[in-house]
Amino acid sequence: MLIPKNNANLMRTKILIKLVESYLHDKFDNADRIPLDLRPKEGASSRCCVYKDRAVLKYRCMAGLGHCPEEETDELISLREYGKQALERTHAAKNKLSVIDIACSACIKSQYVITDVCRGCFAQPCRLNCPKEAISIINGRAHIDPEKCVNCGKCYEVCPYHSVVKIPVPCEEACPVGAITKDEKGKEHIDTEKCISCGKCLASCPFGAIVERSQIIDVLREIKETDHRVVAMLAPAILGQFPGSVNNLVGALKQVGFSDVIEVAVGADITTQKEAAEFVERMEQGQNFMTTSCCPAYFRAAQVHMPEVAPHVSSTKTPMYYTAELVKKEDPGCIAVFVGPCLAKRAEAEYDPNVDYVLTFEELGAILVASGINVDECPEEPFSKVSHAQGRQFPVTGGVAGAVASLVGDKVEIRPEKIDGLTKESIKLLKRYAAKGSENNMLEVMCCEGGCVSGPGCIALSKKAARAVDAYAQTGEQLTPDTKIG
Amino acid sequence: MEKIKVKICVGTSCFVMGAAQIQTLEFNAPADIADKIEILEERCMNLCKELHTKYNRGPFVRVNEELIEEATYEKVVAKIREVLQKQSCK
């Protein structure tokens, strides 16, 4: 989902680095300089002028500090002040994706348009196939009446000259559940009741207008200003995100100030064991299919948008849940921080008392850069708990189903199917399976195409990351249903 | 003909600041240069530490021996074409 060669992504990373630097340097005393540093007067602007760029940057910085731009009460509150407020928080602010309204370009409503390529042909398939009689021929060229058009796309499909184009609204197109829509001014708004926190809108907006609250400052505050032990739980998609070995990274995290580092792949091993057992039980009861439950965006989509699919979702908990449980059992007073590729994990963490904060790989990267830590120069340190091949393969599409299948044995037949990416189409497919039954009985659903390695919080290219994940899984020992974990 | 060496710095700072995305050259380089380049990963060249503004000048990429600061996919592709052009003139 991370679109390479994208200025909006790069700017987000720079903002996070600047914020961490500002915190480390003088606890935000000079934070109001950040938008100026990032958009100096003499430089080029990306919107109408540097001043608007800076105004947008201020809002993006706000989000980086854990505030929601939509909740601004006074435009004069400075970034310094927002920074100080961030340091007063003792718990993560409620996760929320929101739109910076001045950055939202209010893209024109999604529509089909007939271009100059139209030849005004004799066959006129566009006009004849339009179910709403919205197309007429004016001055020898087809024309769509926007009042009648229902955006079905029939004309687009049948035009022999490809003269019909669809003008999309990228965020609305990307949102699998229709949670982002326009207000009367054409600006986008996110309905938090419908939102599944997947972050697809954020990744797709060409204007960088969608932000989410970061917890980066909260985590740094816990490390630097409290005597809590702060434990990092590294999602298995971490492989390939930072050049250097995964053990170098453990060393790097210790330098940042984390007291311990544990792989979430260990929790994924537990998920594998329990989900395999649950699968056997469900199939023996004669159920038609079961779906995985580890993707939090899908899990919430099933609860909110697909009530007919929800009973098929495995009740096994996620790798993050089991990992945090292990961590808190051993050290109840510690602060547990999940570090992963996923934005929806922030929402999941709100329901999990064992998880205190969630960071993305990008945010961890910003901390490392601002602290001047080069991962592959850090001493290699081992993980205290060893993960297995199965848990390590979770973040690549097919990995979860494969792991579960390897433990099901021959008690029941397992026919896995990958639903690689949650989209409007795949949601329809899942609903159809729930209504009419499915050929395959083990459905792995990943919201991000390609799996967690394509998550919106990733740094590395998903292709390269997937290779690194596979290579690491190869080195792991095989899990059995009775392997003792932790 | 010898391939042009494109060394992308994969020190943490450069990687996070965008070198990771320049690696798309390994997969979808433009057709005119795709078979003329060899993409290599270079460990931190310590350039970020020498300069006053630190990481702000990263990511660093070397095309043969020519250094590109604040490298982007676009800049790297342009430099590769420039080097190819020079070679064909010789």
Side-chain angles (χ1 to χ4, degrees):
Chain A
M1 200 153 59
L2 186 81
I3 304 162
K5 298 179 264 166
N6 178 338
N7 291 329
N9 288 343
L10 268 181
M11 186 53 93
R12 189 178 61 227
T13 311
K14 283 187 189 166
I15 290 167
L16 291 167
I17 295 171
K18 286 279 183 196
L19 287 172
V20 176
E21 270 201 328
S22 176
Y23 168 72
L24 294 176
H25 185 63
D26 56 11
K27 292 201 179 164
F28 305 117
D29 279 343
N30 288 300
D32 291 291
R33 293 203 166 275
I34 296 173
L36 282 67
D37 286 348
L38 289 171
R39 270 287 175 260
K41 222 182 218 173
E42 57 277 12
S45 67
S46 13
R47 294 183 176 82
C48 57
C49 60
V50 287
Y51 306 104
K52 176 148 184 185
D53 279 347
R54 289 174 184 174
V56 172
L57 281 168
K58 183 186 169 190
Y59 288 114
R60 295 186 73 177
C61 286
M62 262 179 88
L65 292 167
H67 300 287
C68 177
E70 283 175 351
E71 287 162 13
E72 175 188 61
T73 50
D74 179 356
E75 280 189 67
L76 277 180
I77 295 175
S78 62
L79 283 175
R80 178 176 184 275
E81 178 59 30
Y82 282 124
K84 303 284 178 194
Q85 286 177 16
L87 293 175
E88 283 162 21
R89 275 197 302 264
T90 50
H91 291 90
K94 193 167 163 39
N95 117 87
K96 193 169 184 240
L97 280 156
S98 57
V99 181
I100 302 173
D101 63 347
I102 63 156
C104 175
S105 87
C107 303
I108 52 169
K109 197 168 163 281
S110 175
Q111 56 182 262
Y112 288 90
V113 171
I114 295 175
T115 64
D116 289 357
V117 178
C118 172
R119 307 267 296 146
C121 67
F122 174 57
Q124 296 179 3
C126 57
R127 191 172 67 81
L128 298 174
N129 286 284
C130 176
K132 295 290 171 189
E133 298 180 2
I135 297 182
S136 49
I137 311 294
I138 300 169
N139 295 334
R141 191 173 289 166
H143 176 82
I144 299 174
D145 178 351
E147 295 294 310
K148 292 183 183 163
C149 174
V150 290
N151 275 330
C152 71
K154 280 266 159 39
C155 52
Y156 174 85
E157 284 164 25
V158 298
C159 174
Y161 295 104
H162 297 233
S163 77
V164 186
V165 290
K166 182 182 184 191
I167 304 175
V169 178
C171 58
E172 290 180 10
E173 201 83 356
C175 178
V177 294
I180 187 161
T181 49
K182 291 184 171 299
D183 64 13
E184 63 283 1
K185 290 183 191 138
K187 302 273 184 175
E188 297 291 336
H189 286 276
I190 298 170
D191 181 343
T192 34
E193 299 292 309
K194 288 185 183 169
C195 177
I196 56 170
S197 308
C198 66
K200 286 185 195 242
C201 55
L202 182 149
S204 73
C205 175
F207 285 86
I210 300 171
V211 288
E212 55 126 25
R213 280 182 169 151
S214 173
Q215 300 174 3
I216 194 168
I217 301 303
D218 304 72
V219 173
L220 284 169
R221 185 189 59 81
E222 292 285 359
I223 292 174
K224 309 278 178 194
E225 297 180 31
T226 71
D227 45 16
H228 292 139
R229 286 172 305 280
V230 183
V231 178
M233 304 185 286
L234 279 184
I238 190 69
L239 271 294
Q241 296 298 324
F242 294 98
S245 76
V246 73
N247 299 99
N248 286 136
L249 187 62
V250 177
L253 286 167
K254 296 263 172 86
Q255 276 191 29
V256 168
F258 286 97
S259 59
D260 197 8
V261 184
I262 179 169
E263 280 180 286
V264 175
V266 173
D269 287 339
I270 303 177
T271 299
T272 307
Q273 288 176 329
K274 293 194 191 269
E275 204 153 286
E278 184 187 356
F279 175 78
V280 172
E281 202 183 303
R282 283 186 184 236
M283 292 308 117
E284 281 173 352
Q285 286 167 2
Q287 292 189 18
N288 178 249
F289 70 91
M290 180 178 101
T291 83
T292 52
S293 61
C294 46
C295 171
Y298 161 63
F299 187 83
R300 178 156 161 85
Q303 305 298 320
V304 180
H305 301 281
M306 301 179 269
E308 63 271 58
V309 177
H312 296 278
V313 179
S314 160
S315 57
T316 300
K317 305 278 193 216
T318 67
M320 176 173 89
Y321 175 91
Y322 294 118
T323 310
E325 196 178 48
L326 280 174
V327 167
K328 286 285 167 96
K329 204 177 270 173
E330 279 181 14
D331 187 355
C334 77
I335 297 290
V337 180
F338 176 86
V339 184
C342 182
L343 303 190
K345 280 285 181 215
R346 292 208 216 271
E348 185 193 332
E350 283 171 11
Y351 296 98
D352 188 336
N354 290 329
V355 182
D356 299 286
Y357 297 102
V358 173
L359 285 185
T360 64
F361 295 143
E362 182 190 27
E363 288 164 339
L364 175 61
I367 294 176
L368 293 170
V369 174
S371 313
I373 296 171
N374 189 10
V375 172
D376 82 346
E377 289 165 4
C378 293
E380 294 207 313
E381 293 200 31
F383 287 112
S384 47
K385 294 182 174 47
V386 181
S387 60
H388 295 75
Q390 277 81 350
R392 293 177 184 186
Q393 72 189 49
F394 264 51
V396 178
T397 176
V400 185
V404 172
S406 74
L407 255 63
V408 164
D410 38 18
K411 274 180 257 172
V412 294
E413 189 198 354
I414 180 164
R415 296 180 304 277
E417 175 175 337
K418 293 186 277 188
I419 309 282
D420 183 15
L422 201 64
T423 57
K424 293 180 183 89
E425 291 70 35
S426 60
I427 286 178
K428 265 185 217 154
L429 181 71
L430 282 161
K431 285 181 171 173
R432 195 161 69 235
Y433 285 158
K436 299 189 174 160
S438 157
E439 274 291 285
N440 299 311
N441 56 8
M442 175 71 203
L443 308 186
E444 177 201 275
V445 190
M446 298 260 194
C447 181
C448 296
E449 291 85 2
C452 311
V453 288
S454 323
C458 283
I459 296 168
L461 293 176
S462 57
K463 257 190 193 173
K464 293 201 66 130
R467 279 185 205 161
V469 167
D470 284 340
Y472 186 59
Q474 300 285 331
T475 63
E477 282 189 30
Q478 289 295 316
L479 186 71
T480 69
D482 314 308
T483 310
K484 180 97 182 64
I485 312 285
Chain B
M1 202 170 67
E2 206 177 320
K3 288 192 174 182
I4 293 176
K5 290 197 167 57
V6 181
K7 296 178 188 163
I8 302 175
C9 176
V10 294
T12 301
S13 166
C14 285
F15 198 72
V16 172
M17 295 283 291
Q21 299 181 25
I22 300 172
Q23 289 183 328
T24 32
L25 277 171
E26 280 178 42
F27 305 102
N28 331 310
D32 58 323
I33 59 170
D35 57 348
K36 301 189 178 86
I37 51 173
E38 185 183 358
I39 309 293
L40 302 163
E41 291 187 356
E42 189 86 354
R43 290 186 63 179
C44 179
M45 303 184 251
N46 285 319
L47 293 164
C48 48
K49 296 180 182 87
E50 283 167 19
L51 289 158
H52 169 63
T53 44
K54 249 182 23 176
Y55 60 82
N56 280 343
R57 309 293 292 174
F60 296 99
V61 174
R62 274 186 204 281
V63 175
N64 280 345
E65 285 319 306
E66 285 189 69
L67 180 71
I68 306 175
E69 291 180 1
E70 294 180 47
T72 59
Y73 176 88
E74 254 179 319
K75 274 191 182 176
V76 175
V77 170
K79 180 57 80 180
I80 294 168
R81 290 202 173 117
E82 192 188 309
V83 171
L84 279 169
Q85 184 94 39
K86 276 188 206 152
Q87 284 183 353
S88 66
C89 293
K90 271 179 198 166

